[in-house]
Amino acid sequence: MARSSSAKSSLDGFPASAIFEKDQGITYKDFLILPGYIDFAPQDVSLETRVSRNVKTKIPLISSPMDTVTESRMAITLALLGGIGIIHNNLSIEEQAAQVERVKRYENGFITDPIVLSPKNTIADIDNIAQRYGFSGVPITEDGTLRSKLVGIVANRDVDFERDRSLPLAKVMTTELVTAPKGVSLVQANEILRKSKKGKLPIVDKEGRLVALMSRTDLLKNREYPLATKDDQKRLRVGAATSTHPHDRERIEMLIARGVDLLVIDSAQGYSKFQIDLLKEMKKKHPEVDIMAGNVVTREQGEALIKAGADALRIGMGPGSICITQDTMACGRSQATAVYYTALMASKYKIPVIADGGIANIGDIAKALAVGASAAMCGSLLAGSKEAPGDYYYENGVRLKKFRGMASIEAMEGSGGGAKRYNVEDQKIRVAQGVSGAVVDKGSLFEFVPYLMQGVRHALQDMGCRDISALHKALYASKLRFEPRSLAAQAQGGVHGLYSYKKPIIGAD
Ligand code: IMP
């Protein structure tokens, strides 16, 4: 009788090949990784990675290009925390480019697009602003726009006892101003603001034109972000999605002009002539811009895109939380198997693969990395956070935010991004490949993401790997050991047998 491979080896469990190269596709819940040897602390684990050939990040987390997940606020937050966000393309070209620009122009602690009024505006205009935005310290410039000469500032105490709300601001504004010069550091500006005892600190250029504002209420919140994902000019990095459609060539040019760091060709089935042609064209025209191609789930698909010039592959067809692609289109692949095979192929070309969709908790991120992914792309996990687009609302007393698939009927009726991704833009009858729904409030990503990443550090520590490249080395040297788990083992691996319990909101599905 042939002896099993585990009996031949002194190691328990199996190498990844024995688990994944089988006749049944599997996903994250179907297997576990056996623990390795620990001789270091979780804080010694580095999560630094590459999300594409030339774009490095300090944490392996990317937000999905979805209209309920990534706009500029999400992208700024994730970049500050060490990941990267991909601005969705269910937006007009101008609006998407403006979102990219907002991320590129962001300066930590500085408000680079403050609301500005002119001396001719009235106190009533200040009231309007206070009502809409909840603050009342407004810089006044000659013509009421940013980058025009600063002439005054109007604070609450300048207007609160004034009966005549139609008075022009010229009559009430403070003209003795404490300002800071353009280029001032965060620490210096904080110091000036602290000493001046003012509410707002305008930042002006040499000609006295307003370029930014700093707010006292933000003073305590201003901190450094050592993990921030930045380009060589120290601007935050950002990605943006585009389709392969000819009319989106203009979108691509505009995104590049505004400084996008990573273009993501957003397609549910990326193995197409359109995508290969676009990759070849772009690599000739703009070799300096990295392109993430996809989505793919097989080696054949992925290799074709790498050969056409892809700088990263996005893996996943059907695993997304809002996704009904596999039920509708009959095509797709179980996610862990898809990531394993494509990563194995792409590792020969040193091209990172990104595990996109179906990540429900910290363990799934760690497992995606363990089967070869360089980063995880997440939609539902990050949706519902303060930084995701949309307002909170209540249903049965639970605070929720909307979350929807880009190929849900609702999203396809938007500016076209969703419909283009799923190749149904020109169709009279649109078949949905996604649903729309809601997710619970997750609070701010400033707490949530560090929590997730600390969890991933613990997971790597348990596997005995100090960083993602060591993890991948162990994977391909068959040192990392895997074991499938039965349905009963899966049930036992979750909370069970309790009458009730309190779930940690974060990272538990
Ligand atoms: P999640 O992290 O499980 O929520 O999955 C997010 C991923 O689902 C995205 O990054 C997309 O790849 C994918 N996706 C987004 N919208 C749709 C859709 O409408 N149908 C199918 N997949 C989608």
Side-chain angles (χ1 to χ4, degrees):
M1 201 175 84
R3 298 174 75 197
S4 73
S5 59
S6 66
K8 267 188 254 156
S9 162
S10 63
L11 298 171
D12 283 356
F14 304 90
S17 56
I19 299 288
F20 294 102
E21 296 178 23
K22 285 210 160 150
D23 54 7
Q24 191 179 32
I26 61 170
T27 194
Y28 304 127
K29 267 204 186 332
D30 292 314
F31 68 94
L32 286 172
I33 295 143
L34 299 187
Y37 175 64
I38 300 176
D39 58 356
F40 53 90
Q43 59 267 30
D44 296 330
V45 174
S46 159
L47 295 179
E48 199 170 317
T49 193
R50 267 189 319 140
V51 297
S52 67
R53 197 190 304 264
N54 302 299
V55 177
K56 283 189 183 154
T57 60
K58 293 273 183 352
I59 65 169
L61 191 61
I62 307 175
S63 63
S64 296
M66 298 172 74
D67 57 8
T68 48
V69 179
T70 314
E71 290 188 350
S72 58
R73 189 168 178 206
M74 168 70 74
I76 288 169
T77 309
L78 255 193
L80 286 174
L81 295 169
I84 191 165
I86 315 296
I87 309 276
H88 71 90
N89 60 334
N90 213 4
L91 291 167
S92 69
I93 295 177
E94 292 72 24
E95 181 50 30
Q96 193 190 15
Q99 299 256 355
V100 165
E101 192 171 15
R102 232 167 276 157
V103 185
K104 297 306 292 180
R105 278 190 31 203
Y106 178 81
E107 279 185 75
N108 179 29
F110 296 95
I111 306 161
T112 48
D113 53 356
I115 291 170
V116 182
L117 291 176
S118 90
K120 289 187 196 140
N121 283 97
T122 63
I123 300 179
D125 295 322
I126 295 275
D127 292 340
N128 261 337
I129 290 173
Q131 208 178 15
R132 280 182 65 187
Y133 303 101
F135 62 88
S136 61
V138 177
I140 311 298
T141 64
E142 252 170 17
D143 67 2
T145 66
L146 191 66
R147 285 169 218 293
S148 139
K149 193 163 180 330
L150 180 73
V151 291
I153 194 157
V154 174
N156 222 346
R157 58 178 165 275
D158 299 321
V159 294
D160 48 3
F161 291 124
E162 188 51 66
R163 289 236 173 97
D164 181 1
R165 307 312 272 180
S166 66
L167 273 187
L169 298 178
K171 290 248 163 81
V172 294
M173 68 189 186
T174 304
T175 49
E176 272 170 40
L177 301 169
V178 178
T179 62
K182 188 179 170 189
V184 66
S185 75
L186 186 60
V187 178
Q188 288 166 328
N190 269 336
E191 193 49 29
I192 300 172
L193 196 52
R194 202 178 57 75
K195 277 197 189 137
S196 75
K197 300 206 164 56
K198 304 260 186 208
K200 296 263 151 67
L201 178 67
I203 315 290
V204 292
D205 66 12
K206 276 198 213 111
E207 282 75 40
R209 290 178 301 211
L210 180 72
V211 293
L213 193 67
M214 199 175 203
S215 162
R216 186 169 198 87
T217 46
D218 290 342
L219 197 64
L220 291 175
K221 286 189 262 160
N222 294 342
R223 54 182 181 113
E224 298 297 335
Y225 294 94
L227 301 181
T229 310
K230 292 188 175 166
D231 62 20
D232 47 14
Q233 293 172 52
K234 303 238 178 302
R235 298 176 306 175
L236 294 181
R237 283 198 187 273
V238 61
T242 179
S243 79
T244 54
H245 269 241
H247 56 248
D248 263 353
R249 296 298 196 267
E250 189 191 335
R251 181 183 295 273
I252 294 173
E253 291 303 327
M254 184 99 104
L255 292 169
I256 293 175
R258 302 290 170 90
V260 74
D261 297 280
L262 181 61
L263 273 175
V264 175
I265 308 179
D266 200 30
S267 163
Q269 210 289 50
Y271 189 23
S272 67
K273 178 179 175 343
F274 317 113
Q275 192 151 154
I276 288 173
D277 288 349
L278 177 63
L279 277 167
K280 287 184 178 159
E281 182 188 323
M282 294 306 298
K283 284 292 124 186
K284 260 199 208 130
K285 231 172 163 183
H286 295 288
E288 74 288 357
V289 181
D290 271 18
I291 303 185
M292 183 184 290
N295 280 24
V296 294
V297 290
T298 70
R299 286 176 290 183
E300 180 190 348
Q301 288 181 301
E303 195 157 31
L305 298 185
I306 290 177
K307 286 188 171 153
D311 300 296
L313 294 179
R314 194 173 157 203
I315 313 302
M317 191 174 188
S321 56
I322 29 56
C323 182
I324 51 171
T325 299
Q326 294 182 359
D327 284 344
T328 313
M329 303 296 157
C331 279
R333 197 169 200 183
S334 304
Q335 183 66 352
T337 302
V339 174
Y340 168 78
Y341 273 114
T342 49
L344 183 65
M345 175 279 300
S347 67
K348 292 189 200 111
Y349 297 91
K350 298 201 172 9
I351 292 296
V353 306
I354 309 306
D356 172 24
I359 302 270
N361 52 34
I362 297 170
D364 288 350
I365 301 177
K367 286 178 177 177
L369 298 173
V371 298
S374 292
M377 182 179 275
C378 299
S380 61
L381 198 64
L382 303 173
S385 63
K386 211 167 136 193
E387 291 79 7
D391 295 326
Y392 286 109
Y393 64 97
Y394 284 88
E395 210 173 282
N396 304 322
V398 185
R399 204 163 121 101
L400 305 169
K401 250 193 201 190
K402 197 167 180 173
F403 176 54
R404 66 186 189 189
M406 292 299 280
S408 59
I409 293 290
E410 214 183 273
M412 287 193 289
E413 280 162 3
S415 304
K420 274 178 253 163
R421 173 180 162 90
Y422 294 86
N423 269 330
V424 294
E425 192 191 15
D426 309 323
Q427 310 292 320
K428 282 209 184 82
I429 303 174
R430 290 178 170 180
V431 179
Q433 290 186 51
V435 299
S436 40
V439 286
V440 293
D441 174 10
K442 296 201 183 67
S444 169
L445 290 190
F446 286 105
E447 278 90 49
F448 182 43
V449 169
Y451 178 92
L452 289 177
M453 290 304 118
Q454 186 60 5
V456 177
R457 274 187 207 99
H458 278 288
L460 259 70
Q461 185 201 28
D462 282 348
M463 294 175 206
C465 297
R466 280 171 185 263
D467 54 44
I468 294 170
S469 90
L471 182 66
H472 290 170
K473 260 190 210 133
L475 163 71
Y476 296 125
S478 299
K479 280 201 179 128
L480 199 65
R481 307 298 283 188
F482 295 79
E483 200 166 78
R485 60 173 175 170
S486 67
L487 285 177
Q490 287 177 37
Q492 199 171 54
V495 178
H496 56 275
L498 301 188
Y499 168 65
S500 67
Y501 75 102
K502 195 162 181 287
K503 253 204 306 203
I505 170 141
I506 9 201
D509 50 351

